[in-house]
Amino acid sequence: MTIRPIVRYPDRRLAMPARTVTAFDDGLRELAADLLDTMRAAPGIGITAPHIGMPLRVVVLELDAKDGPLTYVNPVIEWTSPEMILHREGSVSMPGVNDEVQRHARVRISYWDLDGSMQSEESDGLRAVCHQHEIDQLDGVFWIQRLSRLKRERLVKKYEKMGRDM
């Protein structure tokens, strides 16, 4: 297990759709373990393979100690609720800035586990927000694209200023 360097915004790799995983092997399990270590070190609660420069559809979430880390391979949103919620979001690729993003309150996703078995999961609240946020990233949609142009420009300026001040 290794902590990998995180791709930082505005790296263009964050805007590229990730490729479908086809090999469910030790390499995939090693990638998932590295993602978990990297996410914990960042720190964060969710990370995708594109965050470390690997254009593959892999997500690792760790929202609480009770459930532990969960890995989603090739996740797809199958259903979204009409109800919406606002939730504060950020990214390991843009540390130090966050803002409220409107998302569906509930979602159902399908995905493969690390053993190559098809799974389905319904989620609400924070988990639903994370599913949408990370699947967006796999599709090449960085979270700030969900903000108004004015909010997005303000956040980018703040992030750039933070980089200059370091």
Side-chain angles (χ1 to χ4, degrees):
M1 295 177 284
T2 306
I3 296 171
R4 305 247 196 127
I6 294 175
V7 172
R8 298 290 185 205
Y9 179 85
D11 191 300
R12 67 174 194 237
R13 290 175 289 178
L14 295 170
M16 295 177 6
R19 295 188 317 263
T20 300
V21 172
T22 56
F24 292 82
D25 56 12
D26 288 342
L28 178 61
R29 282 183 274 289
E30 184 178 319
L31 173 61
D34 289 355
L35 283 168
L36 179 61
D37 288 345
T38 303
M39 178 188 70
R40 287 175 172 166
I45 59 172
I47 194 167
T48 66
H51 284 118
I52 62 168
M54 301 285 299
L56 295 171
R57 296 188 71 81
V58 180
V59 173
V60 173
L61 295 180
E62 188 172 41
L63 304 184
D64 58 52
K66 179 183 66 134
D67 290 337
L70 298 169
T71 301
Y72 303 87
V73 181
N74 302 328
V76 175
I77 295 174
E78 301 286 349
W79 171 85
T80 58
S81 69
E83 305 85 33
M84 304 296 282
I85 58 173
L86 278 177
H87 200 281
R88 190 158 288 278
E89 296 184 28
S91 175
V92 295
S93 289
M94 194 180 204
V97 296
N98 56 66
D99 207 332
E100 292 205 328
V101 177
Q102 188 171 27
R103 300 275 187 184
H104 296 277
R106 295 186 327 276
V107 299
R108 182 173 45 253
I109 65 168
S110 61
Y111 65 96
W112 301 88
D113 64 22
L114 288 172
D115 296 321
S117 296
M118 181 61 114
Q119 306 289 331
S120 180
E121 180 179 327
E122 268 196 46
S123 60
D124 60 10
L126 177 60
R127 185 173 304 279
V129 167
C130 290
H131 285 153
Q132 293 167 85
H133 176 104
E134 303 303 356
I135 291 171
D136 267 358
Q137 184 60 65
L138 296 178
D139 293 338
V141 178
F142 197 65
W143 73 277
I144 63 173
Q145 290 173 258
R146 297 283 181 196
L147 300 173
S148 69
R149 194 184 93 225
L150 180 63
K151 281 186 171 187
R152 185 171 53 249
E153 288 172 356
R154 194 176 311 141
L155 274 181
V156 169
K157 283 183 182 169
K158 180 180 177 182
Y159 179 66
E160 289 170 345
K161 183 179 184 323
M162 289 169 50
R164 287 192 304 269
D165 293 344
M166 294 179 144

